[in-house]
Amino acid sequence: MSDLKPALEAVLMVVDEPAAEAHLAKVLDRTPREVADALHELADEYTADGRGFELRRVAGGWRYYTRPAHAAAVEAFVLDGQQARLTQAALETLAVVAYRQPVSRSRVSAVRGVNCDGVMRTLLQRGLVEEAGAEPETGAILYRTTNYFLERMGLRGLDELPELAPFLPEADAVEPDSLEGVPSFDPDRDEPADEETTEA
């Protein structure tokens, strides 16, 4: 295994998406077990040495990531004062797709209470969501998150998404009288509310 770990490091340095163990094994002419063991050993070594990067298994493969402890330094270098983040509207829309997928645009709009067509186009262009067939009843296109979404979020799968309950307001905390005039958005209705024209 003495030459396997350096070979894995060299390959992982040039991948632009998580590399699967089976693919690495085929390329390096090793067994999947040998590759898996070597990858875990490398990951443990980087952690033990306190390196500024780590080797993580996400979205069905392995890839190098900078450690969260050094996020500020990396952000300062990459952005250099430029903000290239998703808007709040895009983040909210992405969250709805992630937790309700596969889901149609009209249902996402119903959950958010605004038209989200423009935001969905942005998420599609960035490769964070993709088409996932059509709704049998209406023929509406359904959307789901992509492996790129998992990669960017550092997740192995959708089952690692955090539970929503801790972030929802407690029912007892809202006085009944205070609900008057507050719109109620039914995620299962098909008609979106007033269009939100400023999102991008």
Side-chain angles (χ1 to χ4, degrees):
M1 191 177 290
S2 59
D3 62 333
L4 176 57
K5 289 195 285 189
L8 286 170
E9 290 178 318
V11 171
L12 291 172
M13 283 289 182
V14 299
V15 300
D16 55 5
E17 60 183 24
E21 294 172 2
H23 187 201
L24 292 170
K26 179 181 178 181
V27 170
L28 300 177
D29 195 25
R30 295 297 187 101
T31 67
R33 171 49 60 188
E34 288 177 317
V35 168
D37 290 343
L39 289 168
H40 283 287
E41 286 183 17
L42 283 172
D44 291 341
E45 289 172 10
Y46 298 149
T47 298
D49 292 344
R51 308 298 291 269
F53 59 89
E54 60 185 348
L55 182 58
R56 294 196 319 212
R57 189 174 189 279
V58 297
W62 292 80
R63 187 176 182 181
Y64 285 118
Y65 287 84
T66 54
R67 291 197 184 276
H70 306 294
V74 175
E75 183 176 12
F77 177 79
V78 174
L79 298 181
D80 191 21
Q82 310 266 332
Q83 295 299 320
R85 297 173 178 170
L86 291 174
T87 63
Q88 183 67 28
L91 289 172
E92 291 175 2
T93 301
L94 183 58
V96 174
V97 175
Y99 282 96
R100 302 206 30 123
Q101 61 185 302
V103 62
S104 66
R105 289 191 188 193
S106 64
R107 296 193 186 282
V108 174
S109 295
V111 172
R112 292 200 56 231
V114 293
N115 186 291
C116 65
D117 287 355
V119 180
M120 287 292 287
R121 282 194 293 272
T122 297
L123 296 176
L124 282 164
Q125 290 170 355
R126 294 201 180 191
L128 294 168
V129 301
E130 63 185 2
E131 294 185 5
E135 198 171 52
E137 300 82 5
T138 65
I141 297 175
L142 298 174
Y143 297 90
R144 66 187 175 202
T145 53
T146 62
N147 278 337
Y148 180 63
F149 165 79
L150 294 176
E151 177 187 338
R152 298 301 295 172
M153 294 295 292
L155 303 173
R156 296 177 184 172
L158 294 174
D159 58 331
E160 291 192 353
L161 284 170
E163 292 291 333
L164 282 177
F167 302 99
L168 297 176
E170 295 182 14
D172 295 339
V174 181
E175 294 294 335
D177 293 341
S178 68
L179 297 178
E180 184 177 356
V182 177
S184 175
F185 304 124
D186 180 358
D188 293 322
R189 68 182 174 85
D190 292 325
E191 301 81 6
D194 294 340
E195 183 172 5
E196 184 175 35
T197 58
T198 58
E199 294 182 336

